[in-house]
Amino acid sequence: MKSTIITILALFFLNNVNAQDKSKFKVSENVQTAFKKEYPTVTKVKWDKEAGNYEASFTDGNNKMSVLYNTDGKKLETETS
């Protein structure tokens, strides 16, 4: 029982460390400018790196969306759910 609790706590800690590491990158100015130009009313954005590109996940109205940009700020893909 004690080892199960320790294992669960260790997994929780490692998951939090990995989540923090993802957010330690800087989104390029080109990408931020392109995003703000296309989605000026969006205020809460979660940025991730995907194969060297930047992915913005956000809610626009009632739509959950993600947009993928290359490092130059060119939009590569849009997903809406």
Side-chain angles (χ1 to χ4, degrees):
M1 178 71 174
K2 188 175 183 180
S3 64
T4 303
I5 293 172
I6 292 172
T7 303
I8 291 171
L9 289 174
L11 290 173
F12 177 76
F13 175 75
L14 290 173
N15 187 40
N16 284 341
V17 169
N18 288 337
Q20 291 171 359
D21 288 344
K22 286 183 178 179
S23 64
K24 290 185 179 179
F25 62 88
K26 181 168 171 48
V27 178
S28 76
E29 290 294 323
N30 295 334
V31 173
Q32 290 183 32
T33 301
F35 180 82
K36 289 177 185 176
K37 184 176 181 180
E38 190 164 357
Y39 303 98
T41 61
V42 174
T43 56
K44 292 184 180 179
V45 182
K46 179 184 172 221
W47 290 99
D48 288 309
K49 289 280 259 184
E50 183 178 294
N53 298 311
Y54 297 97
E55 181 179 32
S57 301
F58 58 97
T59 302
D60 190 18
N62 292 328
N63 299 317
K64 290 185 179 182
M65 300 181 68
S66 66
V67 182
L68 188 67
Y69 293 96
N70 68 10
T71 55
D72 296 327
K74 179 181 176 189
K75 184 168 56 171
L76 304 174
E77 178 181 278
T78 303
E79 295 178 5
T80 306
S81 61

